[in-house]
């Protein structure tokens, strides 16, 4: 064991997210002991109690295990979002501050931002004036708000399926005044939002995909992704690419939007 051992708790390695996340911390000099539960092995989890820090990514599914590990093994918890440039950079800086590796973190951030910034700027210009409705399980509803803002896309409505009070507080902190925030909307409510609020893009899960298509609203799968990974800097470019391909697919010019479609 080393003084720079860490667990990543609550990342499920969707389309290889962890394979983009882990190298950033490793470049800072941090060793990842366990990833709970994405890409995990029994042997890795058996070593998890030796870590100096738990980095909590999914802040809805894993607070309980993190709290238990803190009580039993004295492992402190740091909450993080690893989506988008701003949130990823903050996570790296927060972890670096814990371990005393600030200089290493700044080196990694500088290198990564330099690679993605020009492309993100081009997407931002292209997406100017676009509006999105976000409906996710819980934390991604507020993770995505900042990602879309970085791309120049305004969130006009947000919802979660199993979000708690703190999830909605974080959504409200991140969105502008007048945004519709709703808990666990049913199909009729979703149809009303899509037809009356007229978002340019709807990001949700697979069960909402076909309703969106029938109403002529461009759709992205934010649960298991389109062509990820979507995490950290490199994944943010994949996300922006999928937003671009979805918004500007020629098919949307061939159909009518709304209830009369």
């Amino acid at each position: 064991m080393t003084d720079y051992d860490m667990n990543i708790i609550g990342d499920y390695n969707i389309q290889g997210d962890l394979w983009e996340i882990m190298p950033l911390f490793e470049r800072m000099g941090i060793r990842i002991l366990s990833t709970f539960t994405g890409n995990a092995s029994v042997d890795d989890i058996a070593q998890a109690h030796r870590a100096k820090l738990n980095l909590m990514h999914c802040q809805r599914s894993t607070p309980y295990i993190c709290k238990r590990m803190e009580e039993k093994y004295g492992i402190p918890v740091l909450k993080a979002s690893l989506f988008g440039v701003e949130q990823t950079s903050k996570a790296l800086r927060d972890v670096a501050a814990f371990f005393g590796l600030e200089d290493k973190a700044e080196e990694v951030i500088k290198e990564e931002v330099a690679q993605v910034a020009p492309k993100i700027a081009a997407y931002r210009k292209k997406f100017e004036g676009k509006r999105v409705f976000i409906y996710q399980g819980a934390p991604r509803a507020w993770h995505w708000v900042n990602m879309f803002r970085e791309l120049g896309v305004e969130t006009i409505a947000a919802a979660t399926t199993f979000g708690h009070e703190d999830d909605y507080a974080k959504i409200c902190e991140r969105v502008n005044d007048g945004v519709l925030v709703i808990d666990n909307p049913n199909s009729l409510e979703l149809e009303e939002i899509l037809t009356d609020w007229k978002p340019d893009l709807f990001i949700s899960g697979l069960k909402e995909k076909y309703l969106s298509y029938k109403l002529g609203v461009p759709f992205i799968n934010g649960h298991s992704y389109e062509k990820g990974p979507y995490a950290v800097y490199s994944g943010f470019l994949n996300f922006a690419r999928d937003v671009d391909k979805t918004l500007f697919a020629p098919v949307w010019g061939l159909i009518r939007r709304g209830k009369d479609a």
Side-chain angles (χ1 to χ4, degrees):
M1 301 298 109
T2 75
D3 290 334
Y4 305 114
D5 290 339
M6 181 177 80
N7 299 317
I8 298 176
I9 307 293
D11 190 281
Y12 304 106
N13 202 28
I14 298 171
Q15 291 198 24
D17 271 349
L18 274 170
W19 300 330
E20 302 299 318
I21 293 169
M22 292 174 63
L24 298 181
F25 292 107
E26 289 166 351
R27 284 160 57 190
M28 290 165 52
I30 295 167
R31 183 170 65 164
I32 307 301
L33 289 188
S34 175
T35 54
F36 187 90
T37 61
N39 206 44
S41 70
V42 172
D43 289 341
D44 290 341
I45 293 175
Q47 300 297 316
H49 66 288
R50 300 176 183 271
K52 306 297 183 182
L53 177 68
N54 278 335
L55 185 68
M56 184 197 301
H57 198 200
C58 179
Q59 296 172 36
R60 180 50 49 225
S61 64
T62 57
Y64 315 103
I65 186 66
C66 287
K67 181 180 179 181
R68 179 62 174 156
M69 291 176 75
E70 187 169 21
E71 292 171 347
K72 187 169 184 179
Y73 302 112
I75 304 173
V77 180
L78 195 157
K79 298 177 180 180
S81 175
L82 293 161
F83 294 108
V85 171
E86 293 177 3
Q87 295 177 136
T88 300
S89 297
K90 183 181 185 303
L92 295 185
R93 289 185 175 113
D94 288 348
V95 171
F98 177 87
F99 286 111
L101 297 169
E102 290 90 342
D103 290 345
K104 291 288 188 181
E106 293 305 322
E107 289 177 11
V108 172
I109 292 168
K110 184 177 179 180
E111 292 173 6
E112 293 294 320
V113 171
Q115 292 182 38
V116 303
K119 294 179 181 178
I120 294 301
Y123 281 124
R124 184 178 179 87
K125 184 176 181 180
K126 192 173 184 180
F127 298 158
E128 185 177 356
K130 299 299 183 184
R131 310 184 313 154
V132 64
F133 170 28
I134 301 170
Y135 177 31
Q136 298 283 222
R140 284 193 197 174
W142 47 269
H143 288 322
W144 290 162
V145 171
N146 284 352
M147 286 179 76
F148 277 114
R149 180 178 292 115
E150 286 190 79
L151 291 174
V153 178
E154 179 189 2
T155 299
I156 61 167
T160 84
T161 302
F162 48 82
H164 292 199
E165 185 175 347
D166 59 323
D167 292 301
Y168 286 103
K170 290 172 182 175
I171 291 172
C172 292
E173 289 171 2
R174 288 161 171 78
V175 298
N176 297 327
D177 291 341
V179 169
L180 174 67
V181 179
I182 183 172
D183 180 59
N184 195 21
N186 59 40
S187 294
L188 291 176
E189 290 168 329
L190 288 174
E191 181 177 347
E192 182 177 351
I193 296 167
L194 292 173
T195 54
D196 293 352
W197 288 68
K198 296 180 171 58
D200 299 291
L201 180 69
F202 182 29
I203 182 167
S204 190
L206 284 176
K207 63 185 175 64
E208 289 78 36
K209 176 179 181 178
Y210 298 102
L211 173 63
S212 189
Y213 282 178
K214 288 176 181 178
L215 295 173
V217 180
F219 176 89
I220 284 183
N221 177 4
H223 286 174
S224 53
Y225 306 164
E226 299 294 336
K227 292 186 178 180
Y230 284 170
V232 300
Y233 305 98
S234 54
F236 189 32
L237 282 183
N238 294 336
F239 181 77
R241 175 208 61 209
D242 286 350
V243 170
D244 183 35
K245 291 171 64 177
T246 301
L247 281 173
F248 299 104
V251 67
W252 305 119
L254 304 177
I255 60 176
R256 292 178 295 167
R257 288 190 58 166
K259 296 178 181 178
D260 297 329

